[in-house]
Each structure stands twice: as C-alpha cells, then as structure tokens.
Amino acid sequence: MKKYDYLIVGAGLFGAVFAHEVVKKGKTCLVIDKRDHIGGNIYTEEVEGIQVHKYGAHIFHTSNERVWEYVNQFAKFNHFVNSPIAVYKDELYNLPFNMNTFYQLWGVKTPAQAKAKVQEQITQMHIVHPKNLEEQALALVGKDIYEKLVEGYTRKQWGRECKDLPSFIIKRLPVRYTFDNNYFKDPNQGIPVGGYTKIVKKLLEGVQVCLKTDFFHHREELTSQADKVLFTGMIDQYYDYCYGELDYRSLRFETEVLDMENYQGNAVVNYTDYEVPYTRTIEHKHFEFGHQKKTVITREYPDSWERGKEPYYPVNDPKNTELFAKYEERALKEKNVLFGGRLGMYRYMDMDQVIEEALALAESETTYENQ
C-alpha cells in the first residue's frame, strides 16, 4: 500500500520548496537525502557564532518580485551587497569591472577615458569572429582585463585552457562605466539572517524527512512507497548512465577557524592568478556584518568530477547539451517521475531560479491533480 503521494529525492532548495507547496494542497511527501543534513548545497552551519556556508558562498539576489516575497516568508534578509575583490599577484582590483577597476589598471578617472582605453585594446586584437573563449574575452574587454582578471580564474574554474573552451561560455562580460562595486544588478539581494538552513527547515515543517538515505541503495523499496518520484539528483545516474555520462564540475573546500577578528576585510576575494590553486576565499562573518572575536574562512578549489565526487554544476557545452537531450526525451515520457534542480534539469541556476522552477512544477502538479 502506497503511503505517500510523492517521494522527493534531495532535501535541497528545489525539493523543499516543492514539498512545502504540495503539502499545502493536502499532499503527503517523504523527503530523503544521502547527506546527514537538510539544505543541500545552501546548507549553513554555525561555527564560533558565525553562519558558515559549507558548500560555497550563496548570495541571494533576484529581480522576480514573487520569488522575493516568497523567500521572505521564511527569513529576514539583511542588506548585504556582493562587492568582491580580485587579487592578481600583488595587485588588488574591484569587481565587477567598473571605474574603480579601470583606475586601478590604468589610472583613468573618467568614463570617456576608460571607454577609449578598452576600445583601443579591443581594436588591437583584430578579432571579428571569436572561435573560443579566449578570443571572445579579448574581443569584449581587451588584453589587460583578460590577462589579469579573466584568464587564470577561468582556467581554474573549468580545468581547461581558455583556447579550448567554447566562446559562448562568456557571451558578454559586464563592463560598467560607473564607480559601482555591486556585483548584481537585481533590486532584491541579501543574506538570510541566521543562515539558509533555517529557511529549508521551515519549508519542511510537517514533512517526513529521512537523512543518510541513499536512493540508489533502496530504490525499489522507496519508490514502492509513493505514487510519484521527484528526483533532484543527476539525471544520467537515475537512468544508470544508459546514454553515457554527462560532464559536471566539482568543488573542494578547505575551511579553518582563525584566532583573529578580521582576515581579509571582505566576504569574497577572488584569486585570478592561475598559480594560486583556489579561485576564491570566503570570510563568512562579513555576510552578516559580524563582530565575533574569531573568524572562519573557506578556500574554494575547482575540481574535476568523476563518479563518487559531488557534482556542483553542469558543463553545458554542445556535446553535453546533445547528450542531455536524450535523457530529457526519456524523462518526458515518464508518467510518475519528475526531475528538478541543477542536476535533474542539467542547467546552471541561481537560487531564485530554482525557487521559480520548483513553484511552477508544484503548481502544475496540483493543478493537474485537481482537474
């Protein structure tokens, strides 16, 4: 006898939002996760009174007013604005590329001077039809910005030379001719006071949750307990890689507690020199403007993915897009299986997009059921 309407594989943001919405409509859910905590990759844990983003920095930002109103039901958001610093060798630069950056690079003080300098460098490249990421970046911002702020970081992030990466990865590089260090243009942005875990906990109130439960170890038993399955893991793994493996990028984190109040003076510092093995250092207390006696930092290392490692984001190049289409075609024929999230939909999404997709799926499910 089936006990639940939905088995939800993954207690991350997508699964939690979907569960919350369908439960409101009278449905029953069993949520499972192979980790020992809820929240997926947005999980935060308290260390020395500081909310630590265990799986990398997550800064909420959105232009979708519905999503902003929705997430504010579950937490109060502060006014944190993401203004990262870039370190290249012994030089410091503001990000995103703006008038502060251009002054640091060339000593220019007006937008007209900065535009002229960027255009001069672009013109020197003589690139009309970029064939790869390197040429695309040079055609957009010129040599200085590319070599100091794009090349090394991108090589580390993707584990490949920029000449071997497709140009579409950076269709544009935002260049701002204002003294504005705000990385995102979305009107709504901030960090939930007290961390993200409390949001997911509220979303899952009244929902049966089983942690340290691997779907693939108990697949038959678990699926027999529900009418439908929402799977938020890797779609190719769900189908036992029958068409081949999709590519993912993984990450590795080194976190340490330091006996000092302030390590780097900013929440996010990017290291754009290829010789530095990590891409960025996060100092978590700055997300909530903390004044604790100690601080916690995390160094983030991009990593290749292979089975057994955590997949963090898909590699949406032409080869993988073509392969995913085969899995998607099969998934669309499923009557009782749904797929969601970055891994289930094989799409890079920010948190607001994850919430938007989960709300849409929950709405279509409950609307369909009531017809």
Side-chain angles (χ1 to χ4, degrees):
M1 188 130 181
K2 294 188 186 296
K3 188 177 177 182
Y4 302 97
D5 294 307
Y6 293 96
L7 167 68
I8 299 174
V9 182
L13 188 57
F14 193 103
V17 170
F18 181 88
H20 184 81
E21 291 304 303
V22 297
V23 165
K24 284 199 304 188
K25 299 293 178 68
K27 302 299 179 182
T28 55
C29 298
L30 170 62
V31 177
I32 66 168
D33 203 293
K34 65 182 180 181
R35 291 174 174 169
D36 62 358
H37 60 75
I38 61 173
N41 289 345
I42 67 168
Y43 173 69
T44 50
E45 61 182 356
E46 188 169 312
V47 179
E48 299 289 343
I50 299 164
Q51 288 296 322
V52 173
H53 298 217
K54 188 171 180 180
Y55 303 100
H58 286 82
I59 300 151
F60 201 91
H61 58 99
T62 187
S63 298
N64 186 319
E65 292 298 332
R66 182 194 178 198
V67 168
W68 184 240
E69 287 179 20
Y70 183 82
V71 77
N72 272 269
Q73 297 175 87
F74 308 104
K76 179 182 179 180
F77 280 73
N78 67 19
H79 57 282
F80 178 83
V81 169
N82 189 27
S83 303
I85 298 294
V87 176
Y88 176 77
K89 300 187 185 298
D90 60 349
E91 301 166 6
L92 288 178
Y93 296 98
N94 288 102
L95 294 176
F97 314 137
N98 66 72
M99 286 302 299
N100 291 307
T101 321
F102 307 143
Y103 175 75
Q104 291 151 352
L105 278 168
W106 307 307
V108 296
K109 297 178 181 178
T110 69
Q113 290 172 332
K115 283 183 181 180
K117 189 68 177 178
V118 171
Q119 191 55 51
E120 174 192 339
Q121 294 205 350
I122 290 173
T123 303
Q124 289 173 353
M125 293 296 106
H126 305 292
I127 298 170
V128 180
H129 301 293
K131 297 187 288 293
N132 52 54
L133 186 147
E134 177 173 283
E135 292 187 359
Q136 177 73 35
L138 288 168
L140 289 170
V141 294
K143 182 180 177 182
D144 288 348
I145 296 174
Y146 171 70
E147 290 185 350
K148 293 190 174 187
L149 301 174
V150 177
E151 181 186 24
Y153 191 94
T154 305
R155 285 172 65 194
K156 289 187 285 189
Q157 187 177 27
W158 292 99
R160 289 155 68 180
E161 296 290 330
C162 293
K163 290 178 180 178
D164 298 328
L165 288 165
S167 59
F168 72 81
I169 289 178
I170 48 171
K171 293 178 182 176
R172 62 187 184 87
L173 284 169
V175 175
R176 300 179 188 170
Y177 295 100
T178 59
F179 290 90
D180 181 7
N181 298 323
N182 185 347
Y183 197 83
F184 303 117
K185 287 191 173 181
D186 299 302
N188 308 304
Q189 52 189 301
I191 300 286
V193 177
Y196 286 98
T197 303
K198 62 185 283 187
I199 293 178
V200 180
K201 189 174 182 180
K202 287 185 178 180
L203 284 166
L204 292 174
E205 280 180 0
V207 177
Q208 179 72 42
V209 178
C210 292
L211 301 175
K212 295 188 281 189
T213 303
D214 192 318
F215 173 75
F216 295 102
H217 291 171
H218 310 280
R219 184 169 184 159
E220 191 172 327
E221 175 190 348
L222 288 165
T223 52
S224 68
Q225 293 186 54
D227 293 324
K228 282 189 173 183
V229 175
L230 167 60
F231 187 78
T232 66
M234 299 186 300
I235 189 171
D236 52 341
Q237 184 183 20
Y238 182 87
Y239 288 115
D240 198 26
Y241 309 101
C242 63
Y243 303 123
E245 283 186 6
L246 290 164
D247 290 327
Y248 304 87
R249 287 294 286 166
S250 191
L251 295 168
R252 181 169 58 84
F253 304 99
E254 286 182 359
T255 298
E256 58 181 312
V257 178
L258 301 178
D259 193 12
M260 63 176 70
E261 286 193 27
N262 190 355
Y263 172 71
Q264 63 186 21
N266 205 48
V268 182
V269 175
N270 290 357
Y271 287 81
T272 60
D273 182 353
Y274 185 73
E275 302 308 314
V276 178
Y278 42 90
T279 49
R280 58 184 182 173
T281 299
I282 310 302
E283 188 167 10
H284 302 270
K285 71 190 305 177
H286 295 305
F287 289 130
E288 296 193 50
F289 316 107
H291 297 284
Q292 297 87 350
K293 294 295 183 184
K294 295 186 179 182
T295 193
V296 183
I297 66 165
T298 299
R299 294 182 182 89
E300 190 171 305
Y301 296 80
D303 198 5
S304 58
W305 178 85
E306 58 188 33
R307 294 191 201 187
K309 289 184 180 179
E310 282 292 336
Y312 282 88
Y313 50 92
V315 180
N316 296 116
D317 60 13
K319 181 196 82 170
N320 285 289
T321 300
E322 184 179 338
L323 180 56
F324 170 66
K326 295 179 181 178
Y327 284 112
E328 186 178 37
E329 184 179 1
R330 181 165 176 178
L332 290 171
K333 294 175 182 175
E334 298 276 6
K335 291 184 178 180
N336 300 314
V337 184
L338 309 167
F339 293 89
R342 279 186 182 183
L343 305 179
M345 302 170 77
Y346 200 70
R347 185 196 316 165
Y348 186 91
M349 291 187 283
D350 288 323
M351 286 179 285
D352 63 325
Q353 295 168 313
V354 170
I355 292 171
E356 187 177 357
E357 291 285 350
L359 288 173
L361 182 61
E363 192 173 325
S364 67
E365 278 293 296
T366 50
T367 301
Y368 173 78
E369 291 285 343
N370 291 330
Q371 285 179 347

